[in-house]
Amino acid sequence: MNVFRKPIGLLVTVWMLLVFPLVTLAAGAAEEQEAEPEKGPHRGLVLRDGDFSVELAIFETGVPPEYRAWISDDGEPVDPREVNLQVVLTRLGNVRDEIGFAPQADFLRGDMEIYEPHSFVVSVSAEHQGQQYQWQYDSFEGRTAIEQAVADAMGVVTEVAGPATLHETVTAYGSLVLPPAGQRAVRARFDGEIVRVHKALGDTVARGDVLFTIESNESLRTYALRSPMSGVIASLDGGAGEPTGDRTLASIIDVSKTEAELSVFAMDRARVKPGADVQLALADGSATVTGRVTFLAPQVAAGQAQTVRASL
């Protein structure tokens, strides 16, 4: 008796190992087959409600992406003129696209382009012979879901996308200069003797302020030599009792008109346009000022650089 028990037990064990994997694989294959959505002859998704069905597909051969639908009832094509169809796409941010359909040949054609991204919840409603049909399904493309705990652990941060202006930066070097309109040289109109000096070096003056009183050599009368602009006295060359001569007695500068003169390299010239924003940092890092490009020299300077001026 003991001789036969072991082989029988061994045979039963082997049989069980062979059968159960086959059953498991068959069940898994059936579930996978059931999960596959039904496709129609036009490679669209088939939506069924009893005998009534809608094949809905995004068509983009030779045209911008658009929805097209083919209707059937009990396996027979339905005249598209007999069906009222509407599709609503709900995108991220609760943006809704409502699409109407019009009959064309043997199908219904959507009335708007399906723009990217093709990622939305699709709601379909149809009416045929007084009967209403509705479906809803997810059509997500390029979308993924991350649990909050995983996102926090990985440092993932999201923001709502929107329109923005992208800025391109060009690095250039130069110096601060005064344009011709920002500086004036003051000379005597008539040769004579300086009777009085009314201002000192570094004084702030307004246009029309008296700088010198001068006695003319010809008329022997005094006249006032006034500042031609508002600004600061940057140089003063002349004292009481001195002849005026043919020289600059004073120079006035308006520092509010200071500009930046920059050298832009050849490879960057095409990227710099009048009106472009400029951010200037002093060499010692003590200050940063902003301005705009006002002038691009038409000729190339030494070293193949182009001179650019920016107002501050």
Side-chain angles (χ1 to χ4, degrees):
M1 295 295 292
N2 292 336
V3 175
F4 294 101
R5 286 178 183 172
K6 289 184 179 179
I8 292 174
L10 180 61
L11 288 174
V12 170
T13 302
V14 172
W15 179 81
M16 292 291 288
L17 289 173
L18 291 174
V19 171
F20 278 112
L22 290 175
V23 173
T24 303
L25 289 173
E31 291 176 1
E32 184 177 348
Q33 186 174 4
E34 291 176 0
E36 185 70 22
E38 182 182 357
K39 297 290 185 178
H42 303 93
R43 295 184 296 179
L45 179 66
V46 176
L47 306 172
R48 294 188 180 277
D49 188 344
D51 294 332
F52 186 81
S53 66
V54 175
E55 181 185 351
L56 188 65
I58 294 181
F59 185 86
E60 49 188 331
T61 302
V63 296
E66 63 184 26
Y67 267 123
R68 294 188 179 184
W70 293 262
I71 315 298
S72 62
D73 191 3
D74 197 18
E76 296 296 328
V78 173
D79 188 338
R81 294 173 297 180
E82 299 177 359
V83 179
N84 182 19
L85 182 68
Q86 185 181 44
V87 171
V88 177
L89 307 180
T90 304
R91 299 174 180 269
L92 288 174
N94 204 31
V95 176
R96 288 167 54 90
D97 296 333
E98 297 184 0
I99 305 171
F101 288 79
Q104 182 171 322
D106 63 340
F107 61 90
L108 289 164
R109 182 179 184 182
D111 60 6
M112 71 172 288
E113 178 182 343
I114 312 303
Y115 56 88
E116 296 286 353
H118 292 172
S119 185
F120 29 65
V121 176
V122 184
S123 300
V124 182
S125 60
E127 187 271 328
H128 178 236
Q129 296 181 348
Q131 185 70 34
Q132 300 289 333
Y133 304 91
Q134 291 186 340
W135 300 269
Q136 187 176 87
Y137 62 93
D138 296 336
S139 180
F140 296 154
E141 178 181 291
R143 189 188 299 190
T144 186
I146 303 176
E147 293 185 4
Q148 189 60 49
V150 176
D152 293 341
M154 299 181 65
V156 177
V157 179
T158 61
E159 291 186 8
V160 177
T165 301
L166 301 180
H167 298 278
E168 188 177 22
T169 301
V170 173
T171 301
Y173 299 90
S175 58
L176 299 179
V177 298
L178 279 171
Q183 52 189 329
R184 292 289 181 84
V186 180
R187 298 172 182 268
R189 289 179 297 162
F190 308 104
D191 285 344
E193 182 180 312
I194 299 173
V195 177
R196 182 181 175 187
V197 180
H198 296 268
K199 300 292 183 181
L201 183 66
D203 281 356
T204 299
V205 296
R207 181 181 180 184
D209 284 356
V210 177
L211 303 178
F212 300 92
T213 298
I214 299 174
E215 183 182 86
S216 172
N217 289 338
E218 295 183 5
S219 65
L220 299 181
R221 292 184 177 182
T222 60
Y223 67 91
L225 187 58
R226 300 177 182 274
S227 175
M229 63 180 291
S230 298
V232 176
I233 299 177
S235 68
L236 195 63
D237 184 14
E242 294 182 4
T244 59
D246 185 19
R247 58 175 170 154
T248 298
L249 299 178
S251 60
I252 312 297
I253 62 172
D254 183 359
V255 293
S256 68
K257 291 183 170 60
T258 300
E259 294 182 343
E261 186 173 88
L262 309 170
S263 295
V264 176
F265 298 113
M267 62 181 180
D268 296 323
R269 286 202 299 263
R271 300 160 61 193
V272 179
K273 306 293 182 183
D277 292 332
V278 176
Q279 187 175 60
L280 300 171
L282 300 183
D284 60 2
S286 59
T288 300
V289 294
T290 59
R292 289 183 181 276
V293 173
T294 56
F295 172 76
L296 286 85
Q299 73 278 7
V300 176
Q304 300 301 308
Q306 183 179 28
T307 299
V308 174
R309 287 209 174 192
S311 62
L312 307 180

